[in-house]
Structures are given as C-alpha cells and as structure tokens.
Amino acid sequence: MYILNEPTVMMAKIDDVAIFIQNETFCYYSPNSTAMPLIEALLAGYDAEEVRKAALAVGYFLGENNCAFEQLLEQMTAEKLIVAAETKGKEGMPVLPPPADKEEPVLFRYEDLQDMLALDPIYEV
Amino acid sequence: MDFEISVIIPFYNAHKYIFAAVESILSQSVPVNEIIIIDDASECGLTSVKFAKDKIKIIRFSENKGVAAARNEGIRQAKGNILAFLDADDLWCAQKLSNQLEILHEDPRIEAVYGYVKQFASPELPLEAVRKYCIDTEARTGYLAGSLLVKKEAFLRAGFFNEDFRTGEFIEWRARAIRKGITEAVIEDVVLLRRIHGENLTIRERKRMAEDFMKMAIMKIKERKTESGQS
C-alpha cells in the first residue's frame, strides 16, 4: 500500500486538475486523465497490482507492453511523491471509472516554479 | 528614451526596516525620480515619519487592502515611465538600477529586467528562528517584484496586479506579462536582498501562499493543456 509522502508533498484537485507539489525538489506534477483515477485508487489504499488489474479490466491503455502503470508507480516513488506504508491496505480490486481517453497514464513534471518555491516555501518548516 | 524612475513601496507595520529600504534606493548610483510609499493601514501610521528627501510621497489607506492593492495605487500615482518595486523590509543592492538600466539602453526591445535575489536573516532574528526558517541563502533568479525594473507602458499592457491574490500576486502578474508578449531579461547580478525576519507575509501567510500557489500552478497546467490540445 502507498500513501502520499506528507508533509513534504502536497496534493490538491481543483476543477478536475490534480497537482502534486514536492517541497524538497520544488517541482510540481500533474497526472493526465488516465493516470488520475489510478493514483486515486492507490492513495485510497488499494494494492498496486489490484489497481493494475482493475485498470485493464475496464479497458485502460497501459502502454504497448502494459508497463505504463509500473512506470508511473516507479516515477512516483523515485520522486518521493508516495511512499510504501507498513499498514495493510484495502482488500480486492478498486472500482475505476471508464477511461477518459486512450492515452497511457502519464505524470507530467514541471520545474518552472522551482526558484519561486525555494524562496517562498509553502509548507510549514 | 529618457528614463524617469518611480519606485513603489508597499508598507505595512515595517517601521523597523523602512529607512534602510529607502536608503538602499537613495544610495543607488542612478537617482530615482520619486519614491511612493503606500501605507496599507499600518497600526501606527507612517505619515508622521519624516524622510529627509522631498521626492518621497506617502499615501495611506484607511483599511488594509493587501500588497497587490498597495502596489496598484502606487502605479496609478507614478509619474515615471519606468517602474520599480521594493518591499519595505527588503534592500536593493547598490548597482541594481544602473545594471538593469544598461540592459534597457542596450536593447530597446527589452521591456522588463529581473536579477538575482539573495535572502538574509535579519540581524535581530534569534538563532533558533534562523534555524527554524531554514533560510535559503543561495543567489537565485528572482522573479519577484523587488527585483524587477519595467517600462510602465509594458507593465500596463499586462494589467494591474490581481487584488484577489493576497500572496503570489506577482507570479500571477508575470504569467500574464509573458502571455502578453512582454520581453524580459535577467541580469546575473544580485539586485535584491530579501530580509527574513519571521513576520514576512510569505511566512505568516504560508497556508494562503500554498493555496495561491496551487491556483497558479493549476492555471499553468490548464494553459499547457490548451496549447497542446489535450483534454
């Protein structure tokens, strides 16, 4: 099971756009519409393998080799947006909404506000 | 083009620091034409304070309106064709204006010039607080109002500061300025020294900063999606 790496990472969803802010690297991230439900299911406590199965079951495109979800997970752990938790998560498969489009899940990384965040940190130190 | 410089200082309860801020403007190698201080309804008014120079104008709000509104009032009052800003607790480096004006002289297409910013702990700040705030003292590109020198006509093309933002108003303005095609340059000199004293708006209002930052970042994400034709 994975949880958000709080308080280092902040997450918000406004007008259907999700954003993660990494307050150590001062980067921010936004998932595309395919990635978002998968991330939400992960953060709701479902096992990663169950999320992947649920995604395939309802027709999410997970890349040519079905590896896009693992890559997304790898990216999120490497960038310390999420961390593995000791506690046991939810049982079974999550119920995912039908895929919004045929794109594979992608998490976009942005660095254009790094200087601003370094000068004005937005989390309590 | 002859440059006439108006400097705008939003002021709120920063009596301890205002003289140093004004001095850092007056000691520039290039003289400014006017300094407009907007007292944003400080608890103890600034109007009674006597500054030695008559080029300093003080305007007092009857109620606190925030830094964006204070700067906007200063812009409306400004007579110069070049605008610069300084927060009441910060300091300009001695060569700020001359180095930035040189860029405007050299290339008339440039409309806005930024520079590097360094932060420092205010001398009265206890060591414990200095540690707590983990002050980043590296020189960084400072897309901040205090590091900007801008042609007034260009500034107004982007529009006034959005007064809905109590923090983060400058980043929002700069995003608009870029969209309006305002040409900017950054000089690799430290032009602004930013004082950390624990009462900084960005420290006091960190929750609001986070909210404003989220709004702004999401605005940028949406713009990128529109540009790339994503849903």
Side-chain angles (χ1 to χ4, degrees):
Chain A
M1 165 184 168
Y2 291 93
I3 54 171
L4 194 67
N5 183 19
E6 290 177 304
T8 307
V9 174
M10 291 172 167
M11 184 202 167
K13 199 173 173 187
I14 304 172
D15 300 337
D16 285 333
V17 178
I19 181 171
F20 294 84
I21 298 171
Q22 220 301 4
N23 284 299
E24 276 176 4
T25 60
F26 307 122
C27 294
Y28 63 102
Y29 304 79
S30 189
N32 67 357
S33 53
T34 312
M36 193 58 224
L38 308 183
I39 294 171
E40 281 177 331
L42 265 183
L43 294 178
Y46 287 100
D47 180 74
E49 183 51 28
E50 296 297 325
V51 175
R52 197 181 81 91
K53 279 193 224 161
L56 289 172
V58 288
Y60 279 63
F61 176 60
L62 299 183
E64 293 301 331
N65 302 313
N66 281 341
C67 291
F69 179 64
E70 282 75 6
Q71 285 164 2
L72 176 73
L73 204 58
E74 259 180 45
Q75 182 191 4
M76 292 188 78
T77 48
E79 311 249 8
K80 296 183 190 165
L81 299 179
I82 55 173
V83 286
E86 297 292 318
T87 48
K88 196 165 157 40
K90 287 185 181 167
E91 297 285 340
M93 278 205 302
V95 179
L96 295 175
D101 53 48
K102 283 284 173 200
E103 284 178 7
E104 62 185 79
V106 178
L107 184 68
F108 298 102
R109 181 183 200 263
Y110 304 108
E111 299 175 356
D112 58 322
L113 296 175
Q114 273 178 315
D115 281 322
M116 187 223 158
L117 279 175
L119 288 170
D120 288 324
I122 57 171
Y123 69 111
E124 292 299 336
V125 286
Chain B
M1 181 182 183
D2 286 333
F3 294 137
E4 294 186 347
I5 304 165
S6 297
V7 186
I8 294 152
I9 304 180
F11 175 90
Y12 181 70
N13 288 345
H15 298 76
K16 264 193 286 191
Y17 309 123
I18 185 72
F19 286 100
V22 169
E23 188 50 39
S24 78
I25 298 170
L26 295 173
S27 59
Q28 294 288 307
S29 52
V30 176
V32 302
N33 294 73
E34 59 178 351
I35 299 173
I36 304 168
I37 303 175
I38 311 292
D39 181 353
D40 192 11
S42 295
E43 285 150 26
C44 174
L46 186 64
T47 41
S48 59
V49 178
K50 294 277 181 269
F51 288 98
K53 301 279 180 178
D54 57 5
K55 62 173 65 168
I56 298 171
K57 180 177 180 181
I58 299 172
I59 295 162
R60 179 169 166 79
F61 284 168
S62 56
E63 61 183 78
N64 184 264
K65 296 179 182 176
V67 69
R71 287 204 195 109
N72 285 345
E73 183 56 29
I75 295 160
R76 278 189 281 271
Q77 300 281 339
K79 295 187 178 78
N81 54 6
I82 298 286
L83 298 176
F85 304 92
L86 180 62
D87 287 349
D89 46 2
D90 293 342
L91 303 167
W92 277 355
C93 295
Q95 300 301 315
K96 178 200 190 282
L97 288 181
S98 64
N99 290 349
Q100 291 184 314
L101 283 170
E102 199 180 315
I103 301 293
L104 296 185
H105 278 297
E106 276 174 7
D107 186 349
R109 290 169 302 176
I110 301 290
E111 296 172 299
V113 188
Y114 295 90
Y116 281 28
V117 174
K118 269 186 101 163
Q119 300 192 128
F120 70 101
S122 202
E124 81 282 5
L125 198 65
L127 198 59
E128 193 182 307
V130 174
R131 289 201 193 103
K132 181 185 165 199
Y133 295 133
C134 305
I135 301 165
D136 177 294
T137 52
E138 203 177 309
R140 291 184 178 275
T141 311
Y143 292 117
L144 300 172
S147 79
L148 172 68
L149 190 73
V150 61
K151 292 175 181 169
K152 188 177 178 185
E153 171 275 326
F155 184 95
L156 293 176
R157 216 163 69 233
F160 285 89
F161 290 110
N162 183 338
E163 296 179 17
D164 292 339
F165 283 80
R166 295 289 280 201
T167 62
E169 75 298 327
F170 187 77
I171 302 295
E172 192 277 334
W173 176 84
R174 182 169 171 257
R176 254 185 295 136
I178 291 169
R179 282 201 298 277
K180 294 279 180 186
I182 290 168
T183 48
E184 56 180 45
V186 180
I187 58 168
E188 292 181 3
D189 300 307
V190 176
V191 297
L192 177 71
L193 299 175
R194 200 165 183 234
R195 186 192 302 266
I196 302 299
H197 49 73
E199 283 304 307
N200 304 77
L201 182 69
T202 51
I203 291 176
R204 276 189 291 118
E205 300 275 6
R206 207 155 259 177
K207 190 164 176 280
R208 187 176 260 171
M209 278 281 296
E211 287 166 4
D212 281 350
F213 181 87
M214 299 269 190
K215 272 196 283 185
M216 200 167 51
I218 282 178
M219 205 168 68
K220 280 173 162 270
I221 291 165
K222 282 180 174 174
E223 278 174 12
R224 287 193 187 100
K225 281 186 175 177
T226 309
E227 280 164 18
S228 66
Q230 285 179 299
S231 57

